[in-house]
């Protein structure tokens, strides 16, 4: 029995070192305490939105709060980005948490005391500015997370890098920006981030819920331009020219053939949309040139490359068949937002305890895009949605993101903070977890001679093991 006990205590020590302590209760009460302040921050940011690469006041606001927490703060990363580093008292992994900071050129129509009245110049015209994608709530939730975790520094294992990223919605014409520029400026390298997490609030998901998807989650977005060159002629004599409008209409049809006839749609969806077409000056003149532009959405890296090739071939060959030429250019805006399945599996229990298992929902992939996708080139990544739709509201009545009526119920921003904090405390370097299933971590050591005498009931170890869903421990 003595031998058994010694063996058991060695095992117990190993297990406790290998697994994180469950901090969810402490996280819950610390989060509830600061929630009113987090909501205030969000409303302040909502009232003062700024466009991508112009988040000057937003960056100041973030910097001030991070410095007050005593964190190491780096500013002007990727133009207006802010990064803060929190080192826990116990050595461990480096975890990146990211929030985007930018608003959109949308004029707010929601009747709120803190509605935005901001105006600015965008591409040469005066526009309203609005946090019409909810990035204000992302900043507030990440600031709240920094505050909660700072106070738990003594129990924190490893380092947390808080990444406040500008220009998620795209940088102004001719400028670099967003996640790609943050990475280029070393945000993932110093210190080297082992895993990165991001949250997006969702106006069509009820508050108090988290939605996630393993693997491909959000689409890669590419923008394309096709310039069709024909030969100008009189509208009454088309045979004397080459009509680029007729060629373009065939190309538009041809592009949809790539989707419906050439893409493996059971593997992943594809969308090609022509959103802009310009050409011609007058009813009876066949113009020399037509330009069309659009977006491509794919959810698989290989299919993305394949669609690019097919768009070029389709446009060029159709143009050639009619004596015209087509010049195709494609610019990648985001990659596929891919959630590393092993990481998702590991973190689901942390999300479940943040909202309750019944409020953690698996979702479908979406053809929307996110530049968070770039971070997974450097480390395993997990991006998920937190609900922002008022309870009981019909999804059909909830205004979509990027519209003047976009609205977020900010009463449950605690969900994002709790999720981030639980992730930080529960994360284990990849490949080192004992065994993972969807909703529990089971840990079993079985000896060939297991007997009743050396079986320790789960009851006895309720306190240290319960957080991990451990049913029992066998000693030998
Ligand atoms: Zn957006
Ligand atoms: Zn967004």
């Amino acid at each position: 029995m003595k031998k058994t006990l010694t063996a058991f205590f060695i095992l117990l020590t190993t297990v406790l070192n290998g697994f994180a302590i469950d901090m969810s209760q402490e996280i819950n009460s610390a989060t509830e305490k600061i929630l009113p302040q987090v909501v205030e921050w969000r409303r302040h940011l909502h009232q003062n939105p700024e466009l991508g690469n112009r988040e000057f006041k937003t960056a100041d606001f973030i910097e001030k709060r991070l410095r007050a927490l005593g964190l190491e703060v780096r500013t002007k990363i990727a133009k207006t980005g802010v990064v803060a580093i929190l080192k826990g008292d116990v050595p461990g992994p480096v975890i990146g948490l990211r929030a985007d900071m930018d608003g959109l050129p949308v004029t707010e129509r929601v009747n709120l005391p803190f509605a935005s009245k901001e105006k600015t110049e965008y591409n040469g015209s005066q526009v309203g500015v609005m946090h019409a994608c909810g990035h204000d709530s992302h900043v507030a939730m990440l600031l709240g997370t920094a505050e909660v975790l700072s106070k738990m520094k003594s129990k924190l294992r490893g380092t947390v890098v808080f990444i406040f990223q500008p220009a998620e919605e795209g940088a102004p014409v001719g400028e670099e920006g967003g996640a790609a520029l943050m990475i280029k400026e070393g945000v993932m390298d110093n210190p080297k981030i082992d895993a990165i997490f991001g949250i997006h609030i969702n106006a069509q998901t009820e508050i108090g819920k988290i939605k996630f998807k393993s693997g491909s989650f959000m689409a890669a977005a590419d923008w394309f331009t096709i310039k069709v060159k024909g030969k100008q002629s009189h509208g009454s004599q088309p045979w004397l020219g080459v009509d680029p409008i007729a060629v373009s209409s065939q190309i538009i049809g041809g592009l949809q053939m790539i989707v419906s006839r050439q893409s493996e749609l059971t593997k992943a969806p594809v969308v090609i949309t022509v959103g802009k077409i310009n050409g011609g000056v007058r009813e009876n003149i066949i113009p020399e040139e037509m330009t069309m532009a659009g977006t491509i959405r794919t959810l698989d890296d290989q299919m993305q490359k394949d669609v690019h090739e097919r768009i070029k071939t389709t446009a060029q060959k159709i143009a050639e068949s009619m004596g015209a030429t087509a010049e195709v250019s494609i610019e990648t805006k985001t990659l596929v937002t891919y959630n590393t399945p092993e990481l998702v599996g590991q973190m689901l229990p942390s999300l479940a305890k943040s909202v309750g298992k019944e409020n953690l929902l698996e979702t479908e992939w979406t053809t929307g895009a996110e530049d968070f996708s770039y971070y997974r080139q450097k480390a395993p990544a997990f991006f998920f949605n937190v609900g922002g739709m008022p309870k009981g509201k019909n999804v059909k009545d909830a205004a979509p993101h990027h519209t003047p009526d976009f609205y977020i119920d900010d009463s449950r921003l605690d969900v994002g903070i709790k999720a981030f904090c639980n992730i930080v405390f529960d994360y284990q370097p990849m490949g080192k977890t004992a065994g993972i299933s969807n909703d529990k971590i089971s840990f079993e050591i079985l000896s060939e001679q297991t007997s009743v005498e050396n079986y320790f009931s789960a009851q006895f170890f309720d306190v240290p093991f319960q957080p991990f869903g451990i049913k029992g421990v066998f000693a030998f």
Side-chain angles (χ1 to χ4, degrees):
M1 188 66 189
K2 197 182 165 200
K3 205 175 124 208
T4 311
L5 274 178
T6 316
F8 171 71
F9 282 115
I10 293 170
L11 173 69
L12 181 67
T13 319
T14 317
V15 168
L16 288 179
N17 282 341
F19 285 108
I21 348 158
D22 181 52
M23 291 287 291
S24 55
Q25 294 308 318
E26 229 172 289
I27 289 167
N28 280 353
S29 54
T31 305
E32 305 295 345
K33 222 176 275 170
I34 63 159
L35 184 60
Q37 190 188 44
V38 171
V39 171
E40 229 172 83
W41 289 340
R42 183 259 156 175
R43 293 181 178 188
H44 171 84
L45 293 162
H46 190 83
Q47 207 164 4
N48 297 280
E50 294 170 295
L51 294 181
N53 281 359
R54 304 288 182 271
E55 306 93 333
F56 305 114
K57 286 181 288 171
T58 309
D60 282 347
F61 182 88
I62 294 167
E63 184 191 347
K64 234 173 246 149
R65 269 135 203 98
L66 294 172
R67 288 208 191 276
L69 296 173
L71 301 180
E72 179 192 332
V73 182
R74 299 172 187 168
T75 57
K76 298 193 174 64
I77 318 278
K79 318 254 184 204
T80 54
V82 184
V83 172
I85 294 161
L86 169 64
K87 286 196 177 93
D89 288 357
V90 190
V94 181
I95 297 172
L97 304 176
R98 176 274 210 170
D100 40 12
M101 304 154 65
D102 52 330
L104 285 158
V106 173
T107 305
E108 179 149 18
R109 210 157 48 188
V110 190
N111 184 18
L112 289 170
F114 53 92
S116 164
K117 292 185 176 59
E118 286 295 305
K119 279 190 174 40
T120 192
E121 200 189 290
Y122 179 71
N123 287 345
S125 49
Q126 276 291 113
V127 291
V129 188
M130 178 189 177
H131 268 297
C133 202
H135 299 183
D136 48 347
S137 70
H138 304 167
V139 171
M141 286 190 284
L142 192 55
L143 282 174
T145 305
E147 177 140 0
V148 170
L149 291 177
S150 298
K151 288 177 187 146
M152 297 176 176
K153 191 175 171 292
S154 60
K155 291 176 187 160
L156 189 64
R157 204 172 33 89
T159 300
V160 185
V161 182
F162 302 95
I163 301 169
F164 294 87
Q165 177 215 300
E168 190 284 324
E169 304 284 1
V173 179
E175 288 180 30
E176 276 185 277
L181 189 58
M182 293 290 279
I183 294 166
K184 205 164 140 188
E185 296 191 6
V187 79
M188 295 294 284
D189 304 319
N190 179 30
K192 198 186 164 319
I193 290 175
D194 294 307
I196 182 159
F197 300 88
I199 284 177
H200 208 300
I201 196 116
N202 188 284
Q204 275 116 358
T205 299
E206 214 171 64
I207 47 166
K209 294 190 192 305
I210 290 180
K211 280 189 176 169
F212 74 96
K213 186 181 175 301
S214 188
S216 298
F217 174 36
M218 297 179 77
D222 305 297
W223 286 13
F224 67 87
T225 304
I226 303 174
K227 201 182 265 183
V228 178
K229 225 172 172 175
K231 189 173 172 235
Q232 192 154 336
S233 70
H234 196 287
S236 65
Q237 298 167 307
W239 54 89
L240 293 179
V242 175
D243 183 355
I245 294 180
V247 174
S248 297
S249 72
Q250 292 222 5
I251 290 176
I252 292 168
L255 295 179
Q256 295 315 318
M257 290 295 168
I258 297 172
V259 178
S260 68
R261 305 289 85 181
Q262 299 166 48
S263 297
E264 198 179 337
L265 296 179
T266 49
K267 191 174 169 191
V270 172
V271 173
I272 303 175
T273 294
V274 175
K276 204 161 98 175
I277 177 154
N278 293 314
V281 284
R282 198 179 131 100
E283 288 80 345
N284 62 353
I285 299 173
I286 291 172
E288 188 172 292
E289 236 177 60
M290 276 293 291
T291 306
M292 66 183 97
T295 186
I296 310 159
R297 301 299 162 108
T298 46
L299 279 134
D300 176 273
D301 291 346
Q302 196 48 48
M303 285 172 81
Q304 182 186 14
K305 284 191 199 115
D306 181 67
V307 168
H308 289 188
E309 282 313 306
R310 288 180 192 276
I311 287 179
K312 283 177 194 157
T313 309
T314 300
Q316 284 160 0
K317 297 290 179 193
I318 288 176
E320 195 189 319
S321 75
M322 296 168 77
T325 58
E327 219 176 88
V328 182
S329 64
I330 300 174
E331 188 192 345
T332 292
K333 294 283 181 187
T334 76
L335 307 177
V336 175
T337 303
Y338 184 84
N339 289 329
T340 314
E342 195 191 347
L343 186 63
V344 174
Q346 187 195 135
M347 293 337 308
L348 287 185
S350 312
L351 297 187
K353 64 188 175 192
S354 305
V355 277
K357 209 175 153 191
E358 66 287 358
N359 291 316
L360 177 59
L361 311 166
E362 201 164 357
T363 186
E364 291 302 320
W365 42 27
T366 142
T367 45
E370 232 311 317
D371 84 347
F372 181 82
S373 52
Y374 282 98
Y375 295 109
R376 61 122 160 148
Q377 292 180 310
K378 289 281 193 174
F382 185 12
F383 190 72
F384 52 91
N385 289 152
V386 162
M389 185 178 76
K391 243 191 166 58
K393 189 164 184 162
N394 191 327
V395 178
K396 286 181 196 148
D397 300 329
H401 289 235
H402 293 208
T403 66
D405 302 309
F406 172 80
Y407 173 76
I408 286 296
D409 179 340
D410 56 19
S411 64
R412 289 302 313 274
L413 296 183
D414 59 301
V415 169
I417 301 171
K418 289 172 186 167
F420 269 156
C421 293
N422 280 314
I423 281 172
V424 166
F425 274 100
D426 297 345
Y427 172 78
Q428 291 292 316
M430 303 284 284
K432 288 186 185 167
T433 39
I436 300 161
S437 70
N438 252 8
D439 58 354
K440 66 171 190 282
I441 298 174
S442 56
F443 185 85
E444 288 176 305
I445 295 175
L446 297 164
S447 106
E448 277 173 33
Q449 285 99 27
T450 306
S451 70
V452 178
E453 194 206 36
N454 48 27
Y455 170 79
F456 292 76
S457 88
Q459 205 98 36
F460 183 73
F461 303 109
D462 241 9
V463 181
F465 289 107
Q466 205 177 29
F468 315 115
I470 292 171
K471 297 256 162 68
V473 176
F474 292 89
F476 44 89

